[in-house]
Each structure stands twice: as C-alpha cells, then as structure tokens.
C-alpha cells in the first residue's frame, strides 16, 4: 500500500487451494483508492477461480467511504487465508492417517508439497500484514484532499490486521503439525528397517548351525567315526533338522519372530 499524491495504490494476494492440482494459487487484487472512488483489478491464475467480490458487494453500505470498501476487500482476503490454513490442517491430519498405508516416498513427496505451500503462504502473509499495519498506524494517506482512511476506517483495518496475525500464528501451528507427521514417518521407516534387519538376523542364525554341521562333516580326515557309517548321511540331515526346529521354537518363545 503506497500513497501517490491524491490516490493510494495497493496490491494484495488472496489464496486458494485447488484440489485437482494439489497446489495453492494466489489470485491478485489490485486497488486504486481515492476519497470518492475505489477501482479494483483482479488477476487470476489459470487453474483457479477468481477472487469472489459478491459477498463484499453485499456487505457494502450505501454510505461506506472508499476506504471502508478497501477494508472489506482486505477482510475477505484475510478470511480466505484463515480458511486455507484450516484446510491445510485437515490435509495434514489426512496425511498422518495415511502414513502407515502408503509408501514412504509418497509421504515424503506430500510433506514437501505442503511445506513449500506453507512457505509461500508465509512469504505472502508477512508483507500484506505489514501493509495493513501501515494503514492502522496512519502512515499511508493521500497527500491532497480529504482522508481516504479516516479514524473509523483505521479501526476497521485493525480487525483485518488481527485476522492476519491469527493467520501467522495458525501457520506456526500448522508447521508444527507437519513436523510431527514428518517425525512419525521417519520413525516408521526406522521401525520397518529394524523389522527387516531382525528377519535377516533370524535367517542367518537358522543357517549358522546347519553350516557348522555340514562344515564339520565335510572335513576329509581318514579317521572320522561317522565317515563309513551307513546311517551317517541320515544322521547329519536329522541333526540339521532338529537344530533348525529347536532354534525356531526358541525364537518363538522369546517372541523374536
């Protein structure tokens, strides 16, 4: 929001989440404000709906000055950000419920998308909050003629400023929620890796004793008691089977598998 002689020029960005694109788009609303007139220009990205001005038109009273109409526009944008942050919280809750069911790389991709979206929201909110603060502090005003933002309008803008502050605070909470989902996802990956390592360890342990037995009777010494025994081969197989089953029973008893 900047003053240029007898008018004030401002650029605002609303925000809308488009489910089909799984992304956040930022329609632009430009305003030119004089004491008697307000002109708005809307610039809409390709994949989202334009900023809806109909609720603002219905809320405007016949005696509202142009500054009050500007407040209603900013207040509508602030409401959109509050709704967007609530929607992000729901998306994060849904993602947390899906962590156990979907692949880890898909979870990481979704976390990255949400994190970048939150970063863009913060980069948009911060300068808009500062611009509204300049109106509340009576820094932005026309240099000629009557005031565009008289005291009642500045008080009204303070309400929009409070909503933008709530957006920033809500965004911090959303970031913490997303961080908890990321930590949970990483913990699940570690648990899954530990399960794999446990299974591989059990397999290696099961093969250890049979390998020892085969290696023992694979020694080509002349004087081995079982070397010329008719039942030696079956004895060796039976010993391998017994030791393997014994290990399985022991692992089950210890609840290692």
């Amino acid at each position: 929001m900047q003053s240029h002689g007898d008018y004030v020029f401002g650029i605002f960005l609303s925000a809308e989440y488009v489910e089909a694109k799984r992304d956040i788009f930022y329609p632009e609303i430009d305003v030119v404000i004089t004491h008697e007139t307000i002109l708005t220009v809307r610039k809409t990205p390709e994949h989202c709906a334009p900023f809806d001005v109909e609720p603002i038109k219905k809320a405007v009273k016949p005696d509202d000055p142009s500054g009050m109409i500007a407040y209603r526009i900013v207040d509508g944008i602030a409401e959109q950000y509050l709704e967007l942050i609530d929607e992000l919280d729901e998306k994060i809750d849904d993602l947390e419920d899906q962590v156990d069911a979907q692949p880890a790389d898909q979870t990481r991709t979704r976390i990255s998308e949400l994190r970048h979206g939150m970063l863009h929201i913060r980069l948009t909110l911060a300068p808009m909050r500062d611009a509204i603060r300049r109106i509340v502090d009576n820094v932005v005003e026309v240099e000629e003629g009557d005031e565009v933002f008289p005291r009642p309008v500045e008080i009204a803008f303070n309400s929009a400023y409070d909503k933008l502050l709530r957006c920033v605070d809500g965004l911090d909470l959303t970031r913490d929620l997303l961080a908890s989902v990321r930590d949970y996802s990483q913990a699940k990956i570690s648990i899954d890796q530990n399960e794999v390592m446990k299974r591989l360890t059990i397999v290696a342990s099961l093969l250890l004793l049979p390998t020892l037995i085969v290696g023992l009777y694979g020694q080509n010494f002349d004087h081995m008691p079982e070397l010329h025994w008719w039942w030696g081969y079956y004895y060796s197989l039976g010993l391998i089977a017994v030791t393997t089953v014994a290990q399985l029973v022991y692992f089950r008893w210890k609840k290692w598998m």
Side-chain angles (χ1 to χ4, degrees):
M1 295 286 286
Q2 292 184 348
S3 174
H4 297 271
D6 58 350
Y7 70 91
V8 174
F9 175 69
I11 299 176
F12 299 101
L13 293 178
S14 64
E16 182 178 351
Y17 182 84
V18 179
E19 184 65 36
K21 296 294 182 180
R22 297 181 65 179
D23 200 0
I24 302 172
F25 293 89
Y26 299 89
E28 181 179 325
I29 303 97
D30 303 335
V31 294
V32 178
I33 313 170
T34 66
H35 175 65
E36 298 178 349
T37 307
I38 178 170
L39 170 68
T40 63
V41 178
R42 290 178 290 174
K43 301 177 182 178
T44 306
E46 180 180 357
H47 300 290
C48 75
F51 179 74
D52 189 8
V53 296
E54 292 303 321
I56 298 172
K57 290 181 179 179
K58 294 178 181 179
V60 170
K61 300 177 182 179
D63 58 344
D64 278 348
S66 57
M68 184 61 72
I69 298 174
Y71 152 72
R72 298 191 188 282
I73 294 174
V74 173
D75 188 69
I77 294 174
E79 287 288 348
Q80 277 199 343
Y81 275 99
L82 287 173
E83 294 174 0
L84 175 62
I85 293 174
D86 289 339
E87 190 173 0
L88 284 178
D89 290 342
E90 295 177 1
K91 299 295 182 186
I92 294 174
D93 289 339
D94 293 340
L95 178 62
E96 185 175 12
D97 294 337
Q98 297 171 1
V99 167
D100 291 330
Q102 66 185 10
D105 56 346
Q106 187 175 345
T107 300
R108 286 195 300 269
T109 300
R110 187 57 177 151
I111 290 176
S112 178
E113 291 174 353
L114 291 172
R115 187 172 60 84
H116 285 296
M118 290 166 53
L119 177 61
H120 292 160
I121 293 174
R122 181 177 293 278
L123 293 176
T124 305
L125 275 176
M128 186 160 56
R129 176 199 60 194
D130 296 340
I132 302 307
R133 182 65 187 179
R134 297 180 70 228
I135 297 176
V136 175
D137 292 340
N138 198 25
V139 176
V140 178
E141 193 53 80
V142 294
E143 299 175 1
E144 303 173 2
D146 296 332
E147 289 184 337
V148 172
F149 303 115
R151 185 59 183 168
V153 175
E154 292 175 354
I155 294 174
F157 265 100
N158 193 56
S159 174
Y161 178 73
D162 289 341
K163 289 183 179 180
L164 293 175
L165 287 180
R166 285 168 51 197
C167 290
V168 174
D169 294 339
L171 200 60
D172 291 336
L173 177 60
T174 303
R175 181 187 60 189
D176 293 339
L177 291 175
L178 187 61
S180 66
V181 174
R182 181 195 59 200
D183 294 341
Y184 176 60
S185 176
Q186 292 177 344
K188 181 180 179 298
I189 292 173
S190 298
I191 292 173
D192 292 343
Q193 290 177 343
N194 289 337
E195 287 295 324
V196 172
M197 292 302 300
K198 184 170 71 174
R199 291 188 179 95
L200 292 177
T201 302
I202 290 175
V203 171
S205 299
L206 290 175
L207 295 176
L208 179 61
L209 286 179
T211 302
L212 176 63
I213 295 171
V214 171
L216 178 64
Y217 287 107
Q219 303 176 94
N220 296 320
F221 295 123
D222 292 333
H223 302 287
M224 293 183 65
E226 297 88 353
L227 186 61
H228 302 288
W229 187 25
W230 194 88
W231 295 99
Y233 175 71
Y234 302 101
Y235 169 78
S236 176
L237 290 180
L239 186 59
I240 290 174
V242 169
T243 55
T244 301
V245 172
Q247 288 183 92
L248 287 173
V249 172
Y250 180 75
F251 292 156
R252 288 283 187 181
W253 178 65
K254 297 293 288 186
K255 297 182 179 180
W256 292 347
M257 57 178 298

